[in-house]
Amino acid sequence: MMLRQKIFGLAALALFTTGPAGAQDLSGEIVQNGAGGVMTMTMPGSASDPDKVVTEQLTFEPWDMLGELARDDVVLLMRHGPTDWSKRDANNVAPTDCENQRIMTEIGKRQMYELGALMVANDLQPGRIVVSEWCRNQQTLEAMQAGMLDADPTSLDDVPIETMGELNLLLSLQGAPDVAAMREFIGAWDGGDGEGPLLIISHFTNIQELTERTVFEGQMLLLDPDSDNRVIGELKLGSAAPDVGHFE
């Protein structure tokens, strides 16, 4: 299958400038930083609208994964964005019962907005998105969508977006009994119509069970389905930090 190649994946330079066609004043830069790299951007209209200013940076490592990000047949496996740990999920809470589960903070929503914008500015918009039913995951998607569309109103044109119960919190009420279905779904991804990688928004427990990696809220792992879902690298915002629920 012929895969669409992204601009920054074709060169091994320390500095890149990219941007979707038709997105006025949108610019993204990728700079090597030690063993990894840093993605930044300027949001269209931010000079006159402070609400559109993006101050976050999207970091990734290793640097060599930059070429892999140019592929459409890879998977971005993401944990939902930052949540309010002062409120825990009620026992046996349903995935869609937002009143009785831990949800995102306003700061977390802003961070996910900027993450979405950074992805589009640096040509990382997904070709398909699937997300858990849980409220914090749906909120993550909503915030990322807002950032993506502010960066480029056409960025999600023809991008399928689905809610998938198999991505629900592992072993919870209405959750996945194991990660077998999730593993099979990821392994079957072949790049779709060649419009970008598959983005999956799931949970800490599911990701840890599948990859044996621990991830911060909002962090993404890059997986290669052609290599038995091997983890190629990771991406996270500069503000990403350990949470009290899963890290000491």
Side-chain angles (χ1 to χ4, degrees), residues 111-138:
Q111 290 169 338
M112 294 301 96
Y113 169 90
E114 296 195 14
L115 172 60
L118 282 160
M119 290 176 67
V120 167
N122 291 283
D123 208 12
L124 275 178
Q125 60 263 42
R128 182 181 180 186
I129 303 173
V130 291
V131 59
S132 161
E133 291 181 294
W134 283 71
C135 299
R136 47 186 175 264
N137 297 68
Q138 295 289 327

Side-chain angles (χ1 to χ4, degrees), residues 168-187:
N168 285 0
L169 187 59
L170 195 63
L171 301 178
S172 69
L173 178 71
Q174 301 179 43
D178 53 47
V179 294
M182 184 176 175
R183 179 180 289 111
E184 182 178 356
F185 179 71
I186 292 173

Side-chain angles (χ1 to χ4, degrees), residues 6 32 36 38 55 86 103 118 134 146 176 178 183 192 204 214 224 228 238 244:
K6 300 179 178 65
Q32 187 168 6
V38 177
T55 60
S86 68
I103 57 176
L118 282 160
W134 283 71
D178 53 47
R183 179 180 289 111
F204 176 95
T214 57
D224 184 358
D228 196 26
V244 299

Side-chain angles (χ1 to χ4, degrees), residues 1 3-6 8 65-77 123-129 185-192 194-200 221-227 229-233 235:
M1 179 179 61
L3 299 178
R4 179 174 65 91
Q5 295 295 313
K6 300 179 178 65
F8 63 75
M65 73 180 280
L66 191 59
E68 304 296 339
L69 288 172
R71 296 167 50 186
D72 296 310
D73 63 336
V74 290
V75 175
L76 293 168
L77 179 58
D123 208 12
L124 275 178
Q125 60 263 42
R128 182 181 180 186
I129 303 173
F185 179 71
I186 292 173
W189 177 248
D190 63 359
E195 296 299 326
L198 171 65
L199 172 62
I200 296 176
L221 299 178
L222 184 68
L223 275 57
D224 184 358
D226 284 343
S227 299
N229 298 343
R230 177 175 63 92
V231 177
I232 301 173
L235 304 95

Side-chain angles (χ1 to χ4, degrees), residues 25 52-53 81 162 182 188 193 208 247:
D25 303 324
K52 291 186 176 181
V53 174
E162 307 160 57
M182 184 176 175
D193 294 327
Q208 183 183 46
F247 299 88

Side-chain angles (χ1 to χ4, degrees), residues 38-99:
V38 177
M39 300 180 180
T40 58
M41 70 167 295
T42 300
M43 179 73 94
S46 58
S48 58
D49 186 352
D51 290 338
K52 291 186 176 181
V53 174
V54 172
T55 60
E56 288 279 0
Q57 296 181 334
L58 181 56
T59 67
F60 66 93
E61 60 179 35
W63 173 253
D64 291 345
M65 73 180 280
L66 191 59
E68 304 296 339
L69 288 172
R71 296 167 50 186
D72 296 310
D73 63 336
V74 290
V75 175
L76 293 168
L77 179 58
M78 177 180 175
R79 184 183 175 194
H80 58 74
T83 55
D84 179 5
W85 281 91
S86 68
K87 180 178 181 179
R88 302 299 178 100
D89 298 332
N91 290 337
N92 296 323
V93 65
T96 56
D97 181 3
C98 301
E99 293 296 322

